[in-house]
Amino acid sequence: MRTPFLAGNWKMNLDRRTALDLVGALREHLGGRTEVEVAVFPPFVYLDEIARALAGSPIKVGAQNCCDEAEGAFTGEISISQLADVGASLVVLGHSERRHIYGETDELVNRKVQRALAAGLEVILCVGETLAEREAGRTEEVVRTQLHGGLAGITAVDMARVTIAYEPVWAIGTGVVASPAQAGEVHSYVRGLLAGLFTAEAADSVRIQYGGSVKPSNVKELMAVGDVDGALVGGASLKPDDFLPIIDFAR
Ligand code: PGA
């Protein structure tokens, strides 16, 4: 039984006040509910304060990125131990904006995944094809390469702390959501790849989130797809009016 996992990736949005108001509303709304798992990913500078605002609640706090090195002369970078120190318990890695705007390779993403898991954090590893790749019939190849590359050297035991997010790049921030059938095809493919890389049991327990223009109006039909175990939400995670109905998709 995979607990649905709804996560809000704030990207470079919100300020101190709006961020605190948002998590205040989330905390109050969610109470002690555990039938869904919820996480927020604030910008680095607000992590400490947001983690303190959510202390004692079931809502997890994560970072949107981390450095692949442990410490030292890496100006502008943030280490995994610093993230853990301010209360982050998970980290999003391999997001398409990191891959496509900042040129992150599968090798770099993999070093970050290894670093985060070794430090005891959870990881959401993002994979997904561009529109050109989909149109060229390369969706499976792209997803396979990113998954194999990102998870190189990871054990089946470590996979208990890994969530995969399938985020077709053409659906991110565009308002064009993948159809339930399109999401379902790739999600099943990803689970099959995980079974090949690890064990059938490990693959069966990994949660695979869908990401890309998830909204209150489409979350229910996406979550009804067998291998869709959650959502990684960008734009619609920034306001309680959008994110609360997403968390409540099953109500
Ligand atoms: P979006 O972003 O929900 O705004 O499309 C999703 C993501 O990038 O994780």
Side-chain angles (χ1 to χ4, degrees):
M1 182 56 200
R2 300 184 291 263
T3 304
F5 185 11
L6 293 316
N9 171 15
W10 297 355
K11 308 190 182 184
M12 199 170 70
N13 293 298
L14 303 180
D15 57 17
R16 185 195 302 266
R17 188 68 265 151
T18 50
L20 284 169
D21 287 349
L22 173 58
V23 295
L26 273 179
R27 181 175 188 152
E28 189 184 319
H29 182 78
L30 204 67
R33 279 166 61 191
T34 52
E35 86 281 8
V36 286
E37 192 174 317
V38 176
V40 292
F41 293 83
F44 287 133
V45 288
Y46 302 127
L47 266 173
D48 189 12
E49 198 161 357
I50 296 298
R52 278 187 278 125
L54 289 173
S57 94
I59 303 169
K60 295 183 174 178
V61 181
Q64 300 173 18
N65 187 22
C66 71
C67 187
D68 61 316
E69 297 285 349
E71 62 179 349
F74 301 99
T75 301
E77 292 290 314
I78 312 277
S79 75
I80 270 290
S81 60
Q82 290 168 332
L83 294 175
D85 194 30
V86 297
S89 61
L90 63 178
V91 58
V92 169
L93 295 172
H95 190 278
S96 70
E97 286 147 20
R98 300 299 318 170
R99 293 179 188 271
H100 295 289
I101 305 174
Y102 298 100
E104 293 199 8
T105 61
D106 288 322
E107 292 68 33
L108 177 61
V109 171
N110 179 244
R111 287 201 298 279
K112 295 180 178 194
V113 170
Q114 303 226 27
R115 183 73 66 192
L117 291 174
L121 274 77
E122 294 175 44
V123 166
I124 296 179
L125 173 65
C126 304
V127 299
E129 81 289 0
T130 63
L131 185 59
E133 288 162 344
R134 172 165 281 264
E135 286 174 351
R138 295 184 51 221
T139 298
E140 292 193 348
E141 172 204 329
V142 169
V143 165
R144 183 172 65 241
T145 303
Q146 292 176 344
L147 200 76
H148 283 189
L151 295 177
I154 302 307
T155 66
V157 173
D158 282 337
M159 284 307 289
R161 283 182 290 120
V162 176
T163 295
I164 305 298
Y166 168 57
E167 300 205 304
V169 181
W170 47 270
I172 296 179
T174 58
V176 182
V177 65
S179 69
Q182 285 173 322
E185 262 176 36
V186 181
H187 281 235
S188 314
Y189 178 68
V190 166
R191 202 173 304 283
L193 289 174
L194 292 172
L197 280 173
F198 304 102
T199 60
E201 295 73 43
D204 194 50
S205 356
V206 172
R207 285 171 304 178
I208 307 174
Q209 296 174 319
Y210 167 80
S213 297
V214 173
K215 307 232 166 344
S217 58
N218 58 31
V219 64
K220 204 180 170 88
E221 59 178 16
L222 287 161
M223 290 301 295
V225 178
D227 280 308
V228 175
D229 308 311
L232 183 55
V233 186
S237 73
L238 300 174
K239 290 191 194 134
D241 283 354
D242 294 324
F243 199 48
L244 298 184
I246 290 175
I247 291 169
D248 289 346
F249 74 93
R251 291 200 154 180

